[in-house]
Amino acid sequence: MDLRLTQARANDAERAAVDRVVSPALGGTGPSTGPSTGTGTGTGTGTGTGTGTGTGTGIGSLRDEHFADAGHAARGRRHLVLPTLHAVQEDIGWISPGALNYVSLRLSVPPADVYGVATFYAMFSTEPRAPRVVHVCDDAVCGQRGGERLAQRLAAELGGEGSGDEVCWLRSPCLGLCERAPAVLLQRTGEPDYAIAPASVEQTLGAAAGGGPGAAGADAAFDDTSVSAPQTGSGVGASGAAAGAELRLLRRVGVVDPTSLDEYRANGGYTALRRAVGIGPTRVIKEVSDSSLTGRGGAAFPTGLKWDGVAKAPERPHYLVCNADESEPGTFKDRVLLESDPFGLVEAMTIAGYATGCERGYLYIRGEYPLATRRLANAIAQARQRGYLGADVMGEGFAFDLELRRGAGAYICGEETALLNSIEGFRGEPRNKPPFPSVSGLFGKPTVINNVETLYNVLQVLAVGGPAFAEIGGGRSTGPKLFCLSGAVARPGVYEVSFGATLREVLELAGGTVGELRAILLGGAAGSFVLPDQLDVPLTLEGTREIGASLGSGVIFAIDTGADLTEILRRIAAFFRDESCGQCVPCRVGTVRQEESLARMLRRTEIGSREQELALLDDLARVMRDASICGLGQTAPAAIQSAIDLGLLSEGVGQ
Ligand SMILES: Cc1cc2nc3c(=O)[nH]c(=O)nc-3n(C[C@H](O)[C@H](O)[C@H](O)COP(=O)(O)O)c2cc1C
Ligand code: SF4
Ligand code: FES
């Protein structure tokens, strides 16, 4: 593609889409203010030369008159790149050179940079594309549970992947709906996206043809939360205990109307924030430190330590970011919380902001979570309207507001520094650490980044107090923990246990495994395998480490002897190859070589023998682990390495 975009002009619709995002932000009327240097600078003075909008900065005339549009204020608009690209993609169905050019002009970002960002994300298309796109999950869980069959039927009915003028279909990595496999996501020009799961061929074809349930109907299908979180809701829970009994993180799931602030309040909502305000920021951080709460996003960093560092940082402003990018294949726990208890996250973020001196929080949610996005947008709007967010939260004299930012299909944006770059309007490429975000994070300021489940735990810490929370479990593994069960289990879904429960106990909560168990993939695509004779391992940071495994993002993916383990590993390798940001060679090349080797093994066209392929994979794993910049490259070979170590890939062992 030619990067000299200055000749291409946006049409009226494209300009309107961009202006819808940019004008309110620059006018200072919306919540979207960006870095402190960029606030409220809109001029609204330009007359424009044919932009037809009558608002904004009149870019056309300013350029003709060589008006200087630079400096801090201009640079401060860059954080709007992703929202404007979303607006164009949503309204027009693709992002044309003219639209890229107009984004570039309005935000004072070089055209090549805007192009670089637009092409980074899977949900954006810089080529003309059909207005209805069906994303079919063919990842590790769905692929084995009907996703592959669905893809083949769509190919037969609609033509090859990506082809078609009115509708096209594309293969997709995990859509975070594994408990309802197989899953599809409908991306529709000018209309809201929605997911169908489980998706039948007929339903998918109907929706692709423009019929189907529409967003409201599709969302309603998710109202039966007992499918995704079988312990919750009314009736008797999976363990036989009364539903909701003992549940802390999931206690409101399936119980309250997730669209109602009043119901949230009637079910304990905002008591934690009141307690936080009652004891003050320093005591809140002490309670969190005393609780020994560790991050649930994968790295298990002590939350109290992170909060304390930012609270004490002299540089201002401080920022809070919630990482709701949840894209690790097999992971869907955050989605269930976000969809069913969205006010809980708004309250928890407000507490985090209050304790650490942040007046602004960003909630970065994965682009493929349309229902959760709608629920959170509603929760934020209601909280703002009722004084739970804003300049004087609950009349308690402190300010805190939240902005929802949508990702656009890039797993790497879950890595905290890549996420920061994504919010700032750069490609979602990880930064070198140090400096860590608590020192230099969003817009170069001290920043707290926490996972969704971590933040829900804070509500519990404030409910019972830090020391009492620390008594649940022990060591670095304290409090309640969510696990995502999928694959060969009787009742897939999100399950909550206290830290210390064994893998066997959690599997029993889900009704046990189905068929003959071959192995459990624990921790996610970047996790490792556990064998049937290791099911008594306690699911703690310490317990899993002892057997060389890790909890990762809380995935428990059961694989029976009927599944093709080599194919599952090849799909995982393909995922990492696709999602590698490409910045460093060990990851960029290593992920390709891994997939090639596994594909050869599947085709029985090994270079030399199978043992030679395994030796190559082992070599690659060591280089990637030792020399990659970020966690993606370091952990991309983990599952393969673990399968090799456990002999799951050796000649003559299963498939
Ligand atoms: C490739 C990669 C993807 C990640 N994806 C997520 C994610 O989707 N959600 C998340 O909370 N953390 C994710 N993390 C971990 C984050 O970098 C970070 O540690 C976490 O958000 C911190 O929050 P916590 O301390 O509450 O766990 C990812 C890390 C890597 C290396
Ligand atoms: S390890 Fe992979 S994802 Fe991470 S910076 Fe390097 S190339 Fe990018
Ligand atoms: S939604 Fe298909 S594998 Fe997760």
Side-chain angles (χ1 to χ4, degrees), residues 295-297 306 323 325-326 411 414-416 449-451 454 631:
R296 307 299 202 232
K306 196 182 273 191
N323 188 342
D325 195 50
E326 190 170 69
Y411 164 67
E415 195 283 333
E416 56 190 10
I449 303 184
N450 275 129
N451 165 260
T454 311

Side-chain angles (χ1 to χ4, degrees), residues 145 487-490 511-518 558-562:
R145 308 209 142 231
V489 292
T513 54
V514 176
E516 190 186 339
L517 182 66
R518 177 134 182 239
I559 300 167
D560 62 20
T561 47

Side-chain angles (χ1 to χ4, degrees), residues 272-273 275-289 303-313 316 318-320 347-360 393 398-400 448 450 455 458 461-462:
L273 179 59
R275 176 156 155 71
V277 172
I279 60 179
T282 312
R283 270 286 304 282
V284 172
I285 294 179
K286 181 163 173 8
E287 294 289 342
V288 174
S289 299
T303 307
L305 208 56
K306 196 182 273 191
W307 286 24
D308 194 45
V310 172
K312 289 184 176 148
R316 299 274 156 172
H318 296 172
Y319 289 109
L320 171 71
E347 180 182 357
M349 287 186 74
T350 310
I351 294 168
Y354 170 73
T356 57
C358 305
E359 294 193 352
R360 173 151 293 272
V393 175
F398 74 96
F400 183 74
V448 178
N450 275 129
L455 288 162
V458 169
V461 169
L462 283 159

